[in-house]
Amino acid sequence: LSETRTFGQEVAVSVRFFSRLSLSGNYTYLNTKQYSEKVSYDGREVPGQPNDDLYLRLEYDANVFARKSSIYSEWNYTGTLFLDRGNLNEIPQRNLVSAGLQGELFSGTSLSFEMKNIFNRRVEWIALGREVRPGISSLPRAVSDRLGYPLPGRTLYLSLRSNF
């Protein structure tokens, strides 16, 4: 990259209510610009960096059959980002929701079940700014990570953890 300017803010929060319910999260805002002698790059966003990134987790802790257990839900929003210096290859914003359960089986061993991408989001739409043909003003793009690799749809995880 040529010369760049990045300005941003980040805030994190963690709050517990009634000793059982907790809310935690963080938000990052970035304003990035490239400065270049090449007109096609000058003033464009830095690739791989979304302007907005938000993560929230709501968790409820309980005792079930005298064992520590919890249930939680997570929400992750990532704003639009670009994969190239000219800002032509766009990864659209994404909203992903996950949820899970975790329970202690016996001292030091727990079992958890998690569902990621609950709403099976596989495609987001990129607005074109104008109609390219009648009725077509956006294009589909696979929900992807920051490198452009498609993310899976609804995914289930079952985990057994043990501390020795």
Side-chain angles (χ1 to χ4, degrees):
L1 292 175
S2 305
E3 184 180 339
T4 64
R5 177 186 58 87
T6 301
F7 168 77
Q9 299 165 348
E10 184 170 16
V11 64
V13 66
S14 182
V15 181
R16 184 167 283 281
F17 304 97
F18 310 111
S19 76
R20 295 202 181 267
L21 185 63
S22 64
L23 175 66
S24 58
N26 64 292
Y27 171 73
T28 304
Y29 169 76
L30 287 178
N31 182 337
T32 62
K33 294 285 183 246
Q34 301 179 62
Y35 295 99
S36 175
E37 293 177 5
K38 295 183 179 184
V39 176
S40 58
Y41 301 150
D42 191 46
R44 305 285 184 176
E45 293 183 27
V46 173
Q49 296 297 322
N51 286 342
D52 299 292
D53 199 359
L54 174 68
Y55 169 81
L56 292 173
R57 179 181 173 108
L58 183 64
E59 184 169 6
Y60 181 77
D61 297 321
N63 286 320
V64 178
F65 303 115
R67 300 284 181 197
K68 291 192 324 186
S69 302
S70 64
I71 184 170
Y72 64 89
S73 180
E74 298 174 331
W75 174 49
N76 183 247
Y77 168 81
T78 302
T80 301
L81 64 94
F82 298 95
L83 294 175
D84 63 316
R85 290 178 64 192
N87 292 174
L88 300 173
N89 195 357
E90 179 181 335
I91 300 291
Q93 66 184 15
R94 68 174 189 254
N95 283 290
L96 298 177
V97 177
S98 304
L101 302 164
Q102 180 175 334
E104 184 180 51
L105 297 176
F106 46 87
S107 182
T109 302
S110 64
L111 182 67
S112 64
F113 173 75
E114 183 175 24
M115 182 183 298
K116 292 190 177 232
N117 195 358
I118 290 174
F119 300 111
N120 202 25
R121 300 294 299 262
R122 294 173 160 222
V123 174
E124 296 289 351
W125 292 84
I126 298 173
L128 299 175
R130 61 179 176 81
E131 284 190 342
V132 292
R133 289 195 331 206
I136 299 178
S137 60
S138 60
L139 294 174
R141 172 108 189 216
V143 171
S144 304
D145 66 11
R146 291 182 185 215
L147 297 175
Y149 293 103
L151 294 174
R154 185 178 301 116
T155 311
L156 305 175
Y157 296 91
L158 182 63
S159 303
L160 179 66
R161 294 185 180 107
S162 184
N163 296 329
F164 298 104

